[in-house]
Amino acid sequence: MSLASVSFAKAVIPNSGVAVVVTDDEGRFGRDAAALDLAAGGAIARAVAAAGFKGKANGFLDILAPHGVGLDRVIVAGVGKLAEATDESWLKFGGALAGKLAELKLSHACLLLERPDAENLPPDHAAAVAQGAVLRSFNFNKYKTKKSDDDAPKSLKLTLALDGHSAAKKAYAPREAVAEGVILARDLVNEPANVLGPSEFAAEAKKLADLGVEVDILTEKEMKKLGMHAYLGVGVGSARPPRFVVLRWNGGKDKDKPVAFIGKGVVFDSGGISIKPAAGMEDMKGDMGGAACVLGLMRALAGRKARCNVIGALGLVENMPDGAAQRPGDIVTSMSGQTIEIINTDAEGRLVLCDMLWYVQDKFKPAFMIDLATLTGAILVALGQEHAGLFANDDTLAERITAAGKATNERVWRMPLGADYDKQIDSKFADMKNTGGRNAGSITAAQFLQRFVNGTTWAHLDVAGTAMSSPNSDINRSWGSGWGVRLLDRLVKDYYEG
Ligand code: BES
Ligand code: MN
Ligand code: ZN
């Protein structure tokens, strides 16, 4: 895994190595860039003019060894229209810069970070640059034994030199914790299922104890006692037994109700007896993307000592076909007492989640529960990879999730729920069946889950399109995206911390 480390320093122009200066879309230089240009006898400004470089956001001009300064390189970085600069645009800038440095195979650089329009750069925007660079630099290459030509250097050391560097460093501390949470989630999603089974995933969760998180790992025996037969049925065809992990971060007041996050953690989804086609089945190592996000979130919240009580639940299990596997036609009794006829063993996520939702509302009486699951291929058909599907029984919670999604650019789109869809999951033999046919596949799955929330304020995020197979972005080059960690961290920060 390659990573970046970022440090903050006083705004001093370096006299060796690589310096990065910024310019905006009006071609303006700030104080430090101008000083460097002066020292170079105007060579930087001349190079910018000669190249027709206009300072558009995330464009770069690489100038080699300009005369008069001891630097190997001066990279001029465009930050675009500063009047429109946001936290998010600085995050992307940091990502794009780290990408450029990797492309040039540079492992050290000093960014002279200033606003060319002479406005103050808020510490949080500087922190966003650092976070963007760290997120972009993550690269899951631990199983590559040979270095390929386009491999970036193992690690990037980036110094941000700016006025008010102490305040920027302070603003970065919580954002560093969040970046670590995102990277943990990405790592878990990328990891193959032969390496990461239910117990290995649970062991990763246990490591959060070091940050003060309480971690309980329930085994099959305890789950049986609780009556989680819908969840257990998913795992009986696997040689590796399930683990149900409950994490607790108590950063709030004793009397504060907790908020709860619940993740589908199917470490591999073969489909079971209703086996999936071979093409693309390898992607189903990522069917634990919901649980990875929840664990990454807990890491972020504990790492930045969020002032909130939080429950994280991971439903770890493997869906495999063997002689003991669950069959279509089987009927299982969920922890809630409701019975479910299995029509398709590949609709396993809802079977895992239904017992988790029931358990969490029953045991913790949370202010809300949000589940995340790579639940349906149908959500990809509806929304592609640009939005996760949001289902909720509460408008306020839905609006808050939507707002946090916009703020972090991890966007969600609200989908409908409604009793009219219930008839699609009526069963001839049991209280319900686990599939509702081709039409409205994501909605009938959500409608199924709603039967287990027992009136608790609840939202469901279908992340089948956003958690894995991620398109490249300024802040991500990883197949597993860590989607949702930044969104949910933001949700907690903006609405649920005293
Ligand atoms: N894990 C899959 C959904 C999925 C598909 C996630 C593509 C990521 C990418 C889920 O368990 C599943 O198999 N769902 C079925 C449900 C169907 C049998 C009702 C599906 O979407 O086809
Ligand atoms: Mn499935
Ligand atoms: Zn699945």
Side-chain angles (χ1 to χ4, degrees):
M1 173 170 91
S2 46
L3 270 182
S5 66
V6 180
S7 58
F8 295 84
K10 273 198 198 133
V12 174
I13 296 168
N15 48 29
S16 66
V18 178
V20 183
V21 297
V22 297
T23 185
D24 67 357
D25 69 345
E26 296 177 34
R28 290 180 287 192
F29 280 160
R31 181 199 65 206
D32 294 341
L36 188 62
D37 185 45
L38 190 66
I44 316 248
R46 278 204 308 284
V48 165
F53 184 75
K54 293 287 189 301
K56 81 169 201 316
N58 306 339
F60 299 93
L61 178 69
D62 180 24
I63 306 166
L64 293 173
H67 181 74
V69 294
L71 294 159
D72 297 337
R73 280 183 141 108
V74 173
I75 298 172
V76 183
V79 293
K81 197 171 284 317
L82 280 166
E84 291 165 10
T86 58
D87 194 277
E88 184 62 23
S89 63
W90 285 108
L91 180 83
K92 285 186 180 166
F93 171 73
L97 174 60
K100 185 68 191 178
L101 295 171
E103 178 194 317
L104 296 172
K105 301 197 189 309
L106 299 172
S107 53
H108 287 82
C110 174
L111 167 63
L112 294 164
L113 186 55
E114 57 185 340
R115 287 201 34 153
D117 59 358
E119 294 286 325
N120 280 331
L121 181 76
D124 208 45
H125 287 180
V129 172
Q131 193 187 35
V134 168
L135 290 175
R136 170 62 178 265
S137 301
F138 169 80
N139 177 4
F140 186 83
N141 51 12
K142 65 191 269 201
Y143 296 108
K144 298 249 190 207
T145 63
K146 292 183 193 72
K147 247 179 110 61
S148 77
D149 231 24
D150 51 30
D151 264 352
K154 267 221 156 351
S155 66
L156 167 67
K157 287 196 169 39
L158 181 64
T159 304
L160 304 193
L162 71 164
D163 291 337
H165 72 281
S166 309
K169 185 176 172 181
K170 211 168 143 210
Y172 180 55
R175 297 189 73 129
E176 184 175 29
V178 174
E180 283 168 1
V182 174
I183 285 169
L184 172 60
R186 287 180 184 171
D187 248 329
L188 291 165
V189 172
N190 288 323
E191 200 66 62
N194 59 329
V195 175
L196 192 78
S199 64
E200 290 83 6
F201 196 136
E204 284 301 315
K206 189 85 201 175
K207 290 182 185 166
L208 291 204
D210 294 347
L211 294 175
V213 178
E214 289 170 31
V215 186
D216 283 330
I217 302 177
L218 281 67
T219 61
E220 229 174 349
K221 202 168 132 198
E222 292 151 293
M223 293 167 69
K224 265 186 198 145
K225 223 182 272 166
L226 288 164
M228 306 180 109
H229 298 291
Y231 181 159
L232 285 166
V234 173
V236 289
S238 168
R240 301 185 290 182
R243 291 286 185 272
F244 176 36
V245 178
V246 179
L247 304 110
R248 263 174 292 184
W249 168 252
N250 302 314
K253 303 192 187 76
D254 285 352
K255 63 168 178 40
D256 293 349
K257 277 188 167 195
V259 299
F261 299 95
I262 295 169
K264 170 179 173 182
V266 175
V267 297
F268 185 71
D269 180 12
S270 68
I273 293 299
S274 314
I275 198 163
K276 287 180 181 293
M281 203 203 273
E282 67 278 11
D283 282 356
M284 286 300 113
K285 70 173 182 176
D287 207 19
M288 29 54 75
C293 174
V294 170
L295 190 61
L297 175 68
M298 296 304 284
R299 164 94 173 247
L301 295 175
R304 68 171 182 79
K305 303 208 178 332
R307 293 184 313 278
C308 184
N309 297 330
V310 189
I311 306 292
L314 317 176
L316 308 173
V317 64
E318 183 174 40
N319 187 20
M320 294 289 264
D322 82 354
Q326 159 162 280
R327 293 152 286 257
D330 285 3
I331 295 175
V332 293
T333 302
S334 67
M335 184 181 172
S336 73
Q338 300 175 88
T339 56
I340 304 160
E341 181 189 10
I342 310 299
I343 300 299
N344 187 320
T345 64
D346 196 14
E348 84 296 341
R350 65 201 74 182
L351 300 170
V352 176
L353 290 169
C354 73
D355 279 339
M356 296 173 78
L357 288 163
W358 187 265
Y359 174 89
V360 168
Q361 61 79 29
D362 182 52
K363 173 137 187 183
F364 300 111
K365 312 276 182 281
F368 68 71
M369 352 187 234
I370 298 177
D371 74 75
L372 291 100
T374 48
L375 201 64
T376 65
I379 205 69
L380 264 154
V381 176
L383 300 175
Q385 299 191 293
E386 325 303 329
H387 289 88
L390 164 65
F391 300 82
N393 64 3
D394 182 89
D395 292 342
T396 303
L397 181 60
E399 282 157 19
R400 289 174 174 182
I401 294 170
T402 304
K406 283 189 180 145
T408 53
N409 203 30
E410 292 188 326
R411 281 166 300 161
V412 302
W413 195 262
R414 191 166 181 189
M415 303 280 287
L417 288 164
D420 290 348
Y421 294 99
D422 277 334
K423 57 182 174 299
Q424 285 180 244
I425 52 173
D426 285 345
S427 160
K428 212 179 334 190
F429 298 104
D431 295 336
M432 69 197 86
K433 53 186 187 178
N434 79 328
T435 59
R438 237 173 73 81
N439 292 343
S442 303
I443 304 174
T444 52
Q447 205 65 31
F448 180 100
L449 297 179
Q450 191 174 24
R451 296 181 176 204
F452 300 86
V453 306
N454 204 16
T456 303
T457 301
W458 157 78
H460 156 58
L461 290 168
D462 193 332
V463 297
T466 54
M468 62 170 100
S469 298
S470 315
N472 283 340
S473 78
D474 285 324
I475 59 163
N476 182 41
R477 292 291 137 136
S478 159
W479 183 80
S481 62
W483 190 97
V485 174
R486 290 189 309 116
L487 184 165
L488 296 174
D489 170 73
R490 182 74 181 237
L491 176 78
V492 170
K493 175 172 163 238
D494 284 354
Y495 304 103
Y496 300 97
E497 288 187 67

